[in-house]
Amino acid sequence: MGIAQIDSVADPTDVTPALLSELLQCKVTSCQFNALGKGVMSNVQLLTVCYDGHDSGSRNVGRLPTQFIAKFKKPEIPLPDLFSVEGAFYRLSESISESHLSADTYREYHELADTSVATTADEPQIPLSFRIVKAVATGPSWLMLELIPPTEIDTFEVHEGCPPNVLDDLVIRLACMHAFFWIHDHDASESIKETSQQKKLAFIFKNHSRYLSSSPGTGHTLPIDSRQDQFLPSWPAVRERLTRYIKSDDLHRMDNIAHLTATDCRIQKCATRVTQRKYTMVHGDFHIGNILFPKAGQTAVHGCEESCIPWLVDWSMVGLGNPLIDLVFFLVVGANDIHIHQEDASITSKHLERILRLYYNSLNDRKLTEFSTTEPENLSTQQSLLLSWDEFVSMFRECLLNQFIILVCYDSLCRDMADAFPCDEKDVYHDHFDRVNVRCVRMLLSDHGWTENMLN
């Protein structure tokens, strides 16, 4: 049963037993929605269905799932393409088996690359950094997804940040994902037998990327003109909240950085440099709240067996782009160790250096085609690198500054979102947004942050 495209659904009241009966190919007698309250960008609901056990024409009812996840568009979120992008991603992932490229995908590769070599059934397995949930139905305003039973997973709220014991593993997995979907320059007409499994998959992804986000990343769709207009006027309010966390000398440095950023077209230069590096698949909203871990005690945290692999969810901002967008966002939104050591810039630099080295070495380690959870050794200078260290650090600085600009511009909207939560949760999310800004500022003030000549 493939993914259904249902354009008529806008909210839970549009999902009827008749519609579900058609989707699930079994008579549904009733359905019920319960808000989960986990979505910041969307309305996430638990959908429970009841089947007619006497429907002789249906499939075995006992084997059908009774609960699903349903996501609906929030009218107050000004991002119209979230659901169409995520739906397109699930359709792309459906065409690619989790372990092998499907025959249809190979045929598409042959057609696009103008090759004529027959598809072989004994292709090498595709290594998985993350598992992807299956979609039942998609539409411009909703998604219906399989439910991973809560008893089988551990989850964390975005405001909790990333637990220290999984941070390294997630950095390695992110680098592995980026490396595997890397768009290599190669002759499209070369023999398919001479093209690695990775290159085939990256080729297909690049071709399908036109259906995904053209500006992957949370907040990256904000027009450059709007950033220029909003950034400096928004900075004083952000700065005021930072005074509780950042020393006055560092705040003065940030005042200087903010004013320099707003001059000489640096906002435009920064955005352009970030967006022009379309190297690989970018998740766009990579944080701890979008990762589901196999239940502790059932599987090891570090492992390459499928039962050990976490799920990565919420692909509404995925696209072809700059991989450092994901890494910067992950660190800014949830790297708690950077926040803990906020009083000492040298300690922040030390922690950041270690994480950057871990990601960089993992990205460039050729053995990651067989996913490894062991931190790579220093790479040989003769090894073919996806990025040089200098280019990597330059890209990180640019993505970090770009993220800072976006955070400042969207801070007012984030505060409105926090105020929309129930009274007992408002302070939690205001504190979360404060810590996000603090982490971003700490990294900008570190050895791998702002430099006056970075955009010259």
Side-chain angles (χ1 to χ4, degrees):
M1 182 173 64
I3 301 174
Q5 177 70 19
I6 308 294
D7 295 342
S8 59
V9 172
D11 59 57
T13 61
D14 296 324
V15 181
T16 64
L19 174 63
L20 292 171
S21 298
E22 181 180 350
L23 288 176
L24 301 173
Q25 299 178 11
C26 181
K27 186 176 180 180
V28 174
T29 57
S30 64
C31 60
Q32 179 178 346
F33 286 96
N34 294 101
L36 291 179
K38 290 182 176 293
V40 174
M41 306 298 288
S42 59
N43 174 16
V44 182
Q45 300 272 337
L46 176 66
L47 168 61
T48 303
V49 301
C50 292
Y51 299 99
D52 182 356
H54 302 289
D55 182 6
S56 58
S58 69
R59 298 178 296 164
N60 190 333
V61 173
R63 296 182 180 179
L64 292 175
T66 59
Q67 291 187 315
F68 302 86
I69 292 294
K71 297 171 60 177
F72 299 92
K73 180 180 291 185
K74 283 185 174 180
E76 67 270 23
I77 301 299
L79 300 171
D81 297 329
L82 288 181
F83 287 82
S84 60
V85 167
E86 188 164 9
F89 174 79
Y90 284 123
R91 292 180 183 282
L92 172 61
S93 67
E94 184 191 40
S95 70
I96 302 170
S97 164
E98 289 189 340
S99 59
H100 295 82
L101 289 178
S102 67
D104 287 342
T105 301
Y106 274 122
R107 282 194 290 272
E108 179 180 4
Y109 181 88
H110 295 319
E111 293 169 0
L112 293 172
D114 194 24
T115 61
S116 57
V117 180
T119 300
T120 171
D122 298 322
E123 290 292 336
Q125 287 193 342
I126 299 172
L128 292 177
S129 299
F130 300 97
R131 283 184 275 183
I132 301 170
V133 300
K134 293 179 174 59
V136 177
T138 65
S141 300
W142 85 303
L143 293 167
M144 181 175 168
L145 309 171
E146 70 169 334
L147 172 71
I148 308 301
T151 56
E152 298 180 8
I153 55 175
D154 287 322
T155 60
F156 301 91
E157 298 289 346
V158 61
H159 60 76
E160 295 180 274
C162 181
N165 66 313
V166 299
L167 188 142
D168 285 8
D169 184 66
L170 293 179
V171 169
I172 294 173
R173 290 184 183 278
L174 180 64
C176 177
M177 183 183 79
H178 288 157
F180 195 76
F181 284 91
W182 203 268
I183 307 298
H184 294 269
D185 292 328
H186 66 281
D187 185 359
S189 64
E190 64 182 320
S191 168
I192 197 166
K193 287 184 177 179
E194 298 173 351
T195 306
S196 71
Q197 184 83 336
Q198 181 275 329
K199 286 186 178 180
K200 296 171 192 171
L201 189 56
F203 187 93
I204 296 297
F205 171 75
K206 182 179 180 181
N207 182 60
H208 279 258
S209 65
R210 65 183 183 273
Y211 302 115
L212 306 177
S213 175
S214 59
S215 301
T218 304
H220 285 250
T221 56
L222 184 65
I224 294 176
D225 288 347
S226 297
R227 301 183 198 189
Q228 189 70 55
D229 292 341
Q230 297 174 25
F231 174 69
L232 209 52
S234 300
W235 167 241
V238 176
R239 186 192 193 281
E240 177 63 28
R241 295 189 69 96
L242 288 171
T243 56
R244 291 175 287 175
Y245 307 93
I246 304 295
K247 294 182 294 187
S248 59
D249 289 349
D250 287 335
L251 279 176
H252 289 313
R253 288 182 60 196
M254 286 306 305
D255 286 334
N256 186 50
I257 290 173
H259 283 85
L260 287 173
T261 297
T263 59
D264 296 332
C265 300
R266 285 190 175 91
I267 290 177
Q268 178 180 355
K269 290 178 184 177
C270 186
T272 300
R273 291 193 186 183
V274 169
T275 57
Q276 71 185 4
R277 301 180 190 269
K278 297 185 179 296
Y279 292 161
T280 187
M281 182 176 76
V282 174
H283 178 269
D285 195 20
F286 189 81
H287 60 73
I288 195 66
N290 282 335
I291 300 169
L292 316 178
F293 296 90
K295 197 70 174 177
Q298 295 181 358
T299 59
V301 172
H302 301 280
C304 56
E305 299 84 4
E306 184 170 348
S307 61
C308 302
I309 299 171
W311 287 267
L312 181 56
V313 300
D314 194 353
W315 294 84
S316 59
M317 300 182 189
V318 64
L320 178 62
N322 188 324
L324 277 298
I325 290 173
D326 277 343
L327 181 62
V328 165
F329 191 74
F330 177 60
L331 298 180
V332 166
V333 170
N336 285 330
D337 57 344
I338 292 175
H339 175 71
I340 290 170
H341 300 292
Q342 61 184 347
E343 291 302 320
D344 192 326
S346 65
I347 298 180
T348 298
S349 295
K350 179 181 177 181
H351 278 263
L352 186 56
E353 170 80 16
R354 187 191 69 79
I355 295 171
L356 294 184
R357 288 286 180 184
L358 176 62
Y359 174 91
Y360 177 77
N361 289 347
S362 301
L363 180 74
N364 285 295
D365 187 350
R366 298 277 70 77
K367 293 193 297 295
L368 282 181
T369 55
E370 301 293 338
F371 179 78
S372 169
T373 56
T374 303
E375 181 174 350
E377 302 293 334
N378 289 332
L379 301 169
S380 167
T381 55
Q382 296 181 349
Q383 180 176 333
S384 177
L385 302 177
L386 296 179
L387 294 171
S388 69
W389 174 251
D390 288 344
E391 182 181 8
F392 169 76
V393 172
S394 177
M395 288 171 59
F396 179 82
R397 295 183 197 276
E398 292 162 0
C399 285
L400 182 60
L401 179 61
N402 196 54
Q403 187 64 62
F404 172 67
I405 294 166
I406 291 170
L407 287 175
V408 171
C409 290
Y410 272 120
D411 188 71
S412 177
L413 176 62
C414 290
R415 302 302 169 179
D416 290 342
M417 291 168 58
D419 287 335
F421 280 94
C423 292
D424 58 341
E425 297 183 42
K426 288 182 181 181
D427 290 344
V428 171
Y429 279 93
H430 277 296
D431 179 67
H432 165 65
F433 291 130
D434 285 343
R435 287 183 285 117
V436 167
N437 291 340
V438 167
R439 279 189 287 263
C440 192
V441 166
R442 273 288 150 223
M443 288 191 284
L444 273 173
L445 295 173
S446 74
D447 294 341
H448 296 297
W450 167 270
T451 61
E452 291 193 12
N453 61 353
M454 62 183 289
L455 295 175
N456 293 339

